[in-house]
Amino acid sequence: MNDRQRVAILSLGCSKNLVDSERLARRFADNGVDVYFTDELPTDGSTLIVNTCGFIGDAKEESVNTLLGAIELKGERKIAKVYAMGCLTERYREELIAELPELDGLYGKFDWDGVVERISNEMAHVPTWARTLSTQPHYTYLKISEGCNRFCAFCAIPLITGRHHSRSVDEILEEVHDLVSRGTCEFNVIAQDLSSYGMDISTDGKSLLAELIEQMAKIEGVEMIRLHYAYPSDFPYDILPVMAREPKVCKYLDIALQHIDDKVLDNMRRHIDASATRELLARIRREVPGIHIRTTLMVGFPGEDNEAFEHLLEFVKEQRFERMGAFAYCEEEGTYAARNLPDSIPQEVKQSRLDRLMEVQQEIAFDTASEKVGKTLRVIIDEFDGEQYIGRTEYDSPEVDTLVYLPSDKQLNIGHLYDVEITASEGFDLIGKVKK
């Protein structure tokens, strides 16, 4: 490989994809390749690798458009070569080969070694978990398992990533120790199905999530542990006492509920009904006082009539989720819903329902922020923008949640935690000052 050639990695989609890109970058670096992350198409003559997303229609469209843009820049000699990998190529490899012959290579979601060997012409051994962080060094995403066994009617993830398989506790802890040695103190634990972590590797078929989190919390240098993407069915209740008593574990849980109407939940094949969902939420809040729940909901799924949507709307008003996102159903080929449930709800109806749902949630989110005024919260500092410091509380995951803005009247250290008095709220975000 030309010593002057550089490799740029453009990672699309979710944080799980970002971890894969970081593993890829580490392999390049350990093979002597000059590699860097980018959020946009480079024009410096680099070789580009696009780690694609193939989850829903908008994400697939973004991935294809990114590849088309890269191919155009390649024709202008602003990019040397273009390679694609990730979820989209895993699922649509043959179609992409036929439609985009200008690509220099296509690789699957997990073929990091293949693309590295192709570009660098060599392959040094690297631990499977080793990676080069694309985030700031003080926080990272920690992927503890891959795949999913749930096969919800709308979801293509099992078709892309395959069956659920967990990493061992020991391997994950080894990675945590390595990251702590490099200055990481905040760990956002992620999986497609956090609730099933360890069931496939434990001797008794039970979840190992509580054990893993307890072990992580014992590691010196770990300051914040945040849990993402639990599944409501078969929820591992033994994690709740750990969250309640361990100060390093954030009182935050990301658990996608999708809906509350029994008919819709049944059509979605979610393995849980409305009553059990409410019991789950009540127990989580009872056992972990002050917890902030983030959820994702879907409107417009087949079978969602006006009554079902009103059930969902009332559910949001009733539960007052501290953090919530929502999206309109988009049919994914190959899924159970695409094969068996006609997508008959007009797009304008879906959009209207989505707008109504998010309007309700916006007021709840504003109230959630204003309720923090006068309280003292731990805040981790992410950046200084030239005028003020910007940080997050334990209730806020990077990139998706509330920010805390602090004046620059005293010097603060990026990546450090401070006790902050919240003095005001502005919409979703908070204003604060560091306590003396």
Side-chain angles (χ1 to χ4, degrees), residues 19-89:
V19 172
D20 294 341
S21 294
E22 292 175 342
R23 290 174 176 171
L24 177 66
R26 175 64 181 269
R27 281 160 170 73
F28 274 122
D30 282 20
N31 280 279
V33 175
D34 184 4
V35 60
Y36 67 97
F37 296 100
T38 180
D39 293 327
E40 55 188 25
L41 293 174
T43 57
D44 60 358
S46 295
T47 288
L48 175 66
I49 300 171
V50 180
N51 193 359
T52 60
C53 179
F55 179 42
I56 58 176
D58 288 347
K60 289 187 287 188
E61 183 178 355
E62 180 189 20
S63 292
V64 171
N65 286 340
T66 299
L67 292 174
L68 290 171
I71 289 168
E72 183 176 343
L73 288 173
K74 175 186 169 184
E76 298 171 5
R77 299 191 176 183
K78 294 179 180 178
I79 292 177
K81 292 184 178 181
V82 181
Y83 296 89
M85 64 181 306
C87 291
L88 192 74
T89 59

Side-chain angles (χ1 to χ4, degrees), residues 3 71 98 122 257 274 348 387 415:
D3 290 339
I71 289 168
E122 54 185 313
L257 299 174
E348 58 268 23
E387 298 181 356

Side-chain angles (χ1 to χ4, degrees), residues 375-394:
K375 295 183 177 179
T376 297
L377 303 174
R378 280 200 319 162
V379 173
I380 190 165
I381 305 301
D382 284 335
E383 63 175 305
F384 178 67
D385 68 0
E387 298 181 356
Q388 59 194 339
Y389 289 96
I390 303 173
R392 290 172 291 106
T393 73
E394 67 175 299

Side-chain angles (χ1 to χ4, degrees), residues 347-381:
Q347 185 60 38
E348 58 268 23
V349 173
K350 294 179 184 178
Q351 189 60 51
S352 173
R353 291 175 180 175
L354 182 61
D355 292 343
R356 288 181 62 195
L357 194 68
M358 294 311 298
E359 183 178 347
V360 168
Q361 179 59 27
Q362 178 174 285
E363 291 303 315
I364 294 170
F366 287 173
D367 290 345
T368 299
S370 67
E371 289 164 3
K372 291 181 171 57
V373 175
K375 295 183 177 179
T376 297
L377 303 174
R378 280 200 319 162
V379 173
I380 190 165
I381 305 301

Side-chain angles (χ1 to χ4, degrees), residues 162-275:
R163 291 280 185 170
H164 175 266
H165 57 277
S166 304
R167 298 173 60 197
S168 71
V169 171
D170 288 344
E171 180 184 279
I172 295 168
L173 295 178
E174 185 179 1
E175 180 179 4
V176 172
H177 278 288
D178 175 70
L179 290 165
V180 166
S181 73
R182 293 192 268 153
T184 305
C185 64
E186 176 187 340
F187 292 83
N188 294 284
V189 179
I190 57 174
Q192 191 61 42
D193 175 9
L194 208 65
S195 298
S196 295
Y197 171 70
M199 289 181 176
D200 54 324
I201 57 174
S202 62
T203 55
D204 57 4
K206 293 183 179 179
S207 170
L208 296 177
L209 183 62
E211 176 185 332
L212 171 66
I213 300 305
E214 281 192 298
Q215 292 297 319
M216 283 181 60
K218 292 177 182 178
I219 297 175
E220 185 176 355
V222 172
E223 297 291 344
M224 302 177 83
I225 302 169
R226 194 177 288 107
L227 303 179
H228 298 75
Y229 319 130
Y231 195 90
S233 177
D234 307 312
F235 183 82
Y237 284 106
D238 58 347
I239 189 61
L240 298 180
V242 179
M243 299 180 75
R245 69 171 178 264
E246 176 51 64
K248 290 183 179 181
V249 182
C250 300
K251 289 182 170 56
Y252 177 107
L253 180 66
D254 192 328
I255 179 168
L257 299 174
Q258 305 300 350
H259 219 282
I260 196 60
D261 182 81
D262 279 337
K263 180 176 62 176
V264 176
L265 287 170
D266 187 54
N267 283 353
M268 287 181 166
R269 307 178 91 187
R270 290 291 287 172
H271 321 293
I272 194 169
D273 61 14
S275 175

Side-chain angles (χ1 to χ4, degrees), residues 97 104 122 143 151 165 230 324 365 379 398 418 427:
I97 289 174
D104 294 283
E122 54 185 313
K143 184 158 61 169
F151 290 94
H165 57 277
M324 193 198 89
V379 173
Y418 296 88

